[in-house]
Amino acid sequence: MNRRKKMSARIRVIAVACSATFLLAACSEKPNQSNQSEPSFKENWLKKSEIDPDRRIACTDLNQYVNAKWLSNNPIPADKTQWGPFEILKEKSLNDQRAIAEAAAKNIGSAKASSPEQLVGLFYAAGMDEAAIERAGFDPVKPELDAIAALRDTSSIVRYLTDTFVRYSTSTNSDSADTFFQGKRRLFNLQRDTDLKNPKVQIAYVFQDGLGLPAPDYYTKAEHAELRSAYTAHIARLLQLVNIDVQSAQRQAGQVLAFETRLANASFTPVEMYDPDNLYHFVSVSQANQITPNFDWGAFFKAQGVDLKEGFSLSSPKFFKEVNQMLVDTSIEQWQAYLRFHALKNAAPYLSSAFQNEYFAFYDKTLKGQQEIAPRWKRVLDTVNSQLGMALGQLYVAKHFPPEAKKQALTLINNLSAALKARIEKLDWMSAETKKRALEKWQTFLSQIGYPDQWRDYSALRLKAGDYFGSIQAAARFNHAYAMSRIGQPTDRSEWGPWTTPQMINAFYSPNDNTINFPAAVLQPPYFHPQADDALNYGGIGAIIGHEMTHAYDDQGSQFDAYGKLENWWTEADRKAFKARTDTLVKQFDAYSPLPGLFVNGTLTLDENIADLGGLSISYDALQNELNKRPALAKLKIDDYTQNQRFFINSALKWRENIRPEKLKVALNTDQHAPAQYRAIGAPSNLSSFAEAFSCKAGDPMVRTGDAQVKIW
């Protein structure tokens, strides 16, 4: 139920599960119910024993009513920072992937050279060879450290940044809240994506980056002082692991913090980074060089193998002006300290256990509250996914995604699409002029389900057996070269980027090509099963589909036209009416307080909250359309719940989530998604259909009326 905006490298993740403890035999094969008046799918994942018997609680707090018992009985595992349907389904997907990777590792010799089977096998086997990795120590990163030690002046720093950029240009398949924790941060970020002003072509985007803490505020606000101290101590400990003496390591750690503080003061905040106008700043190379006269962008792109015909997007000019100034007024010693630490941080998860444990101690335990490091096989699979995700995905789909699931998912999408069209046509606050453009955008939706029509070709990639760090770098270079080769080329809307794989637990909308995307692994219970009754599927995957469609018209998506072009297609009056409604939604979420003294940021989470509300509304309409076709089903109760009640119960079930307070604090500062407990209640509290389903009365906490009730799509 999330939207990924590709141009800013953020993935919105939705949680789903099949092997969850709260599931019954949901994955068993049952006869198709399509021609029956009642569902044959009697076994379902809604356990009545887990739902509060007092239905009045639904009108007070739907999350409490549906999820409290489950949350109480399902604590967070020690190697996790949160636990709910997403993590449960991810565990299932990881176990499926593990079986595939282990089989591939056993059959390296018989697999075709550079086939998905061989590449996955080589990569996984090398990552699991702990003895070899321990023997290597930090040898793999020594050439990088030597290059940093050899820096002598501004020009040598620029050459280093230019020539070494590719080595850590790795993709990531993590969710937006966790992208930061992947440890691949460089001074700035380079991607290729659709030109927001000319969606027919791919261009280069350069973004601010380079911070080791989650957001700029972490470097300046007093409330984060303790964390800054822990971060500085972590930097020093990591430097000591490469034989830098304690005093020098502590001095360099202070230099790194000061360096990053300057970057932070020139950086956009998370809220500002979600404004498309802050992400798109198209310039020619000569114009870019005027912003950074000490950094030659022409030479940089030439080193990346890119021949820029027109120019590129240089976001955050203020940030790059500061970097330009730092190239001449910051000492070589401080630059070396900063680059040395980040080289080690980037490499630490792939080096010997001392480095892995130090990385875990700060980035997972201190920042997120995780108690134990994840098993090695999971960490290696995460790396395989980040570097060879589509190769592993090809093997995953062949084994775990039947064609019938894709077919029925498409049927649901078509039904949700029809419901969305009807809602747009009936809007009383939108003019005919804007409606026409909104329906044009609806008409051009492209749905991508399960897996791509064309698999990525990895045949040119060569990996060396037993060389884990070398495999990571080889794959990074291969992926970087592929991305750079697409710059200046026509946009292919059917392409699945490296950020999305079939085995990923995710769903998202991309505004700059107007696509909605549902990877194979997300199309499982408790959100979707081909033989589940309509109430469950529409409350689950239906709300997800509607959510992604609504992203086309949320605060950001509404700034893109039917073809992904960034432009205003609204009348001034319609935009004003839209903002009045969304301002009320901002205030609703601003009032939620998950921890003492800490509140949800209604502006940061606005787009997702709009999509939650729109998606649930649209999916409810689609369910009613189906129930109207089958009156007997409409009257049917299962476990003494009506179809509409089951719809809303399952819509809340997906937000079952226990989360560690440390992780929650980071999310409140950086994540565009509100905490799960408020996503469970936010949208339904604005729907009269929810109040009717549970016979709630005016004045109940889950009933908003009058000006307090938000109605958008």
Side-chain angles (χ1 to χ4, degrees):
M1 301 192 47
N2 314 283
R3 179 268 315 272
R4 180 190 184 285
K5 189 164 72 172
K6 296 189 295 184
M7 60 187 172
S8 60
R10 291 177 169 85
I11 295 179
R12 280 65 167 155
V13 178
I14 173 61
V16 191
C18 181
S19 59
T21 57
F22 50 82
L23 306 184
L24 296 179
C27 296
S28 60
E29 292 300 320
K30 297 288 178 182
N32 192 291
Q33 68 169 47
S34 58
N35 296 318
Q36 300 182 19
S37 61
E38 295 185 8
S40 60
F41 189 78
K42 295 292 187 181
E43 296 171 307
N44 61 73
W45 52 82
L46 289 180
K47 283 188 175 181
K48 190 174 183 179
S49 62
E50 292 182 341
I51 301 174
D52 199 298
D54 186 354
R55 298 194 184 185
R56 292 174 299 178
I57 295 177
C59 299
T60 301
D61 186 333
L62 182 62
N63 183 63
Q64 179 80 8
Y65 173 65
V66 175
N67 297 327
K69 289 186 178 181
W70 187 92
L71 293 171
S72 177
N73 294 328
N74 290 270
I76 305 171
D79 67 339
K80 303 291 182 185
T81 58
Q82 59 196 70
W83 189 244
F86 164 60
E87 290 75 26
I88 292 167
L89 187 54
K90 184 177 179 181
E91 286 293 298
K92 179 187 182 300
S93 180
L94 282 174
N95 278 291
D96 291 339
Q97 294 171 48
R98 182 186 189 183
I100 292 169
E102 288 180 347
K106 291 178 181 177
N107 298 309
I108 293 172
S110 60
K112 181 181 177 182
S114 290
S115 64
E117 292 86 351
Q118 189 198 58
L119 293 172
V120 169
L122 284 168
F123 209 121
Y124 186 77
M128 293 302 294
D129 190 350
E130 294 186 77
I133 293 170
E134 289 300 313
R135 286 194 300 271
F138 67 93
D139 286 351
V141 79
K142 282 182 178 178
E144 189 92 357
L145 298 178
D146 290 343
I148 293 168
L151 299 177
R152 291 293 179 265
D153 51 26
T154 297
S155 61
S156 63
I157 294 172
V158 171
R159 283 195 302 272
Y160 171 83
L161 294 172
T162 296
D163 295 341
T164 64
F165 191 88
V166 61
R167 286 210 278 274
Y168 295 103
S169 296
T170 53
S171 61
T172 177
N173 293 324
S174 61
D175 64 271
S176 60
D178 278 349
T179 299
F180 158 75
F181 296 108
Q182 294 300 304
K184 308 294 192 303
R185 306 301 285 266
R186 300 294 280 174
L187 182 61
F188 56 85
N189 189 355
L190 168 65
Q191 298 176 35
R192 63 96 183 178
D193 215 322
T194 305
D195 187 336
L196 300 190
K197 294 294 186 180
N198 179 20
K200 294 182 179 180
V201 68
Q202 299 286 288
I203 64 169
Y205 286 83
V206 178
F207 302 102
Q208 68 183 42
D209 211 320
L211 304 182
L213 290 173
D217 282 352
Y218 279 72
Y219 292 87
T220 57
K221 288 191 173 181
E223 65 196 73
H224 300 304
E226 186 176 344
L227 187 58
R228 287 194 294 273
S229 296
Y231 179 51
T232 306
H234 160 68
I235 296 171
R237 288 194 298 269
L238 197 58
L239 293 172
Q240 290 173 58
L241 291 178
V242 293
N243 300 325
I244 295 175
D245 66 79
V246 174
Q247 186 175 2
S248 295
Q250 291 175 342
R251 183 182 70 254
Q252 291 183 45
Q255 291 175 321
V256 172
L257 184 65
F259 190 102
E260 291 182 9
T261 300
R262 280 190 68 174
L263 294 180
N265 287 330
S267 297
F268 283 132
T269 66
V271 170
E272 291 169 332
M273 281 296 288
Y274 289 111
D275 182 346
D277 288 329
N278 287 336
L279 297 176
Y280 186 82
H281 181 235
F282 195 86
V283 293
S284 66
V285 169
S286 61
Q287 289 172 325
N289 286 344
Q290 290 175 15
I291 295 172
T292 61
N294 296 308
F295 190 92
D296 185 348
W297 290 101
F300 172 78
F301 279 106
K302 184 177 180 180
Q304 313 314 311
V306 179
D307 180 15
L308 288 179
K309 296 292 191 291
E310 301 292 337
F312 66 104
S313 176
L314 183 67
S315 304
S316 318
K318 178 183 176 182
F319 174 86
F320 287 99
K321 286 180 181 178
E322 184 68 10
V323 169
N324 178 74
Q325 187 62 33
M326 293 171 73
L327 284 168
V328 292
D329 71 9
T330 300
S331 70
I332 298 300
E333 180 186 10
Q334 189 171 4
W335 269 99
Q336 288 173 321
Y338 171 79
L339 295 172
R340 183 177 295 117
F341 164 66
H342 280 270
L344 288 172
K345 179 171 70 70
N346 290 340
Y350 320 117
L351 299 177
S352 60
S353 57
F355 292 88
Q356 297 169 39
N357 292 335
E358 178 55 41
Y359 183 90
F360 163 78
F362 180 73
Y363 282 105
D364 293 316
K365 190 170 186 178
T366 299
L367 270 178
K368 298 189 291 181
Q370 185 173 323
Q371 298 303 300
E372 294 179 2
I373 193 168
R376 181 162 189 84
W377 67 268
K378 290 184 180 180
R379 289 179 279 136
V380 173
L381 272 179
D382 281 346
T383 308
V384 174
N385 272 296
S386 72
Q387 300 295 348
L388 298 175
M390 204 52 87
L392 180 56
Q394 190 170 350
L395 305 178
Y396 176 87
V397 165
K399 196 170 182 64
H400 294 288
F401 192 61
E404 57 267 24
K406 184 170 184 175
K407 182 178 179 180
Q408 185 153 343
L410 182 58
T411 298
L412 282 166
I413 288 173
N414 291 336
N415 292 346
L416 267 293
S417 181
L420 171 61
K421 181 175 184 287
R423 278 202 165 247
I424 293 173
E425 291 173 336
K426 295 175 183 177
L427 288 177
D428 59 4
W429 58 268
M430 181 178 281
S431 68
E433 180 182 349
T434 304
K435 279 185 183 180
K436 181 180 178 181
R437 296 293 298 274
L439 290 171
E440 179 184 5
K441 189 167 188 179
W442 169 86
Q443 184 69 42
T444 57
F445 274 140
L446 175 64
S447 302
Q448 304 195 111
I449 305 170
Y451 53 89
D453 295 330
Q454 182 81 30
W455 291 106
R456 173 92 177 272
D457 180 6
Y458 288 90
S459 60
L461 176 60
R462 297 291 183 269
L463 301 180
K464 181 181 177 183
D467 186 356
Y468 187 44
F469 197 84
S471 293
I472 292 169
Q473 290 191 314
R477 288 191 294 268
F478 179 83
N479 291 326
H480 184 68
Y482 175 76
M484 296 300 98
S485 72
R486 295 286 293 117
I487 293 174
Q489 300 299 310
T491 295
D492 178 4
R493 292 179 73 208
S494 68
E495 179 189 17
W496 285 46
W499 49 83
T500 312
T501 63
Q503 65 274 23
M504 176 188 290
I505 314 305
N506 188 17
F508 65 90
Y509 169 76
S510 176
N512 40 337
D513 57 15
N514 201 23
T515 60
I516 49 177
N517 306 263
F518 303 95
V522 80
L523 298 172
Q524 299 185 59
Y527 296 146
F528 173 73
H529 191 283
Q531 279 76 49
D533 64 286
D534 285 335
L536 294 186
N537 275 338
Y538 280 95
I541 195 67
I544 296 171
I545 295 168
H547 174 108
E548 302 311 332
M549 289 180 173
T550 304
H551 270 312
Y553 307 99
D554 68 16
D555 193 54
Q556 289 188 46
S558 63
Q559 299 179 57
F560 295 80
D561 72 7
Y563 307 97
K565 182 179 180 180
L566 180 62
E567 71 168 9
N568 180 26
W569 48 273
W570 296 55
T571 66
E572 184 176 346
D574 289 337
R575 179 62 70 180
K576 184 177 180 180
F578 176 74
K579 189 175 187 303
R581 285 163 169 75
T582 60
D583 282 350
T584 302
L585 195 60
V586 168
K587 292 177 182 177
Q588 284 184 11
F589 278 82
D590 278 344
Y592 291 137
S593 177
L595 293 170
L598 298 178
F599 292 82
V600 176
N601 186 329
T603 302
L604 178 62
T605 60
L606 176 60
D607 291 349
E608 296 299 325
N609 299 332
I610 293 172
D612 282 348
L613 177 57
L616 200 61
S617 303
I618 295 163
S619 192
Y620 180 83
D621 288 355
L623 173 63
Q624 302 314 303
N625 292 338
E626 292 302 303
L627 294 179
N628 288 338
K629 298 174 186 177
R630 291 182 282 170
L633 177 60
K635 297 177 181 178
L636 178 69
K637 286 188 176 183
I638 300 177
D639 289 335
D640 200 33
Y641 298 118
T642 67
Q643 293 295 293
N644 290 342
Q645 287 172 340
R646 284 164 62 76
F647 169 86
F648 284 111
I649 289 172
N650 202 37
S651 77
L653 186 150
K654 65 177 170 282
W655 302 123
R656 288 178 167 175
E657 181 182 85
N658 280 313
I659 184 169
R660 298 192 190 279
E662 297 90 343
K663 175 69 178 290
L664 179 55
K665 288 177 182 178
V666 174
L668 289 172
N669 283 291
T670 63
D671 195 354
Q672 74 277 15
H673 302 89
Q677 68 206 73
Y678 303 122
R679 300 185 75 180
I681 65 175
S685 72
N686 285 291
L687 298 181
S688 299
S689 54
F690 167 77
E692 293 170 4
F694 286 93
S695 300
C696 301
K697 299 178 176 61
D700 288 339
M702 284 293 298
V703 179
R704 299 182 190 272
T705 58
D707 293 340
Q709 184 182 40
V710 179
K711 297 180 180 179
I712 305 175
W713 297 106

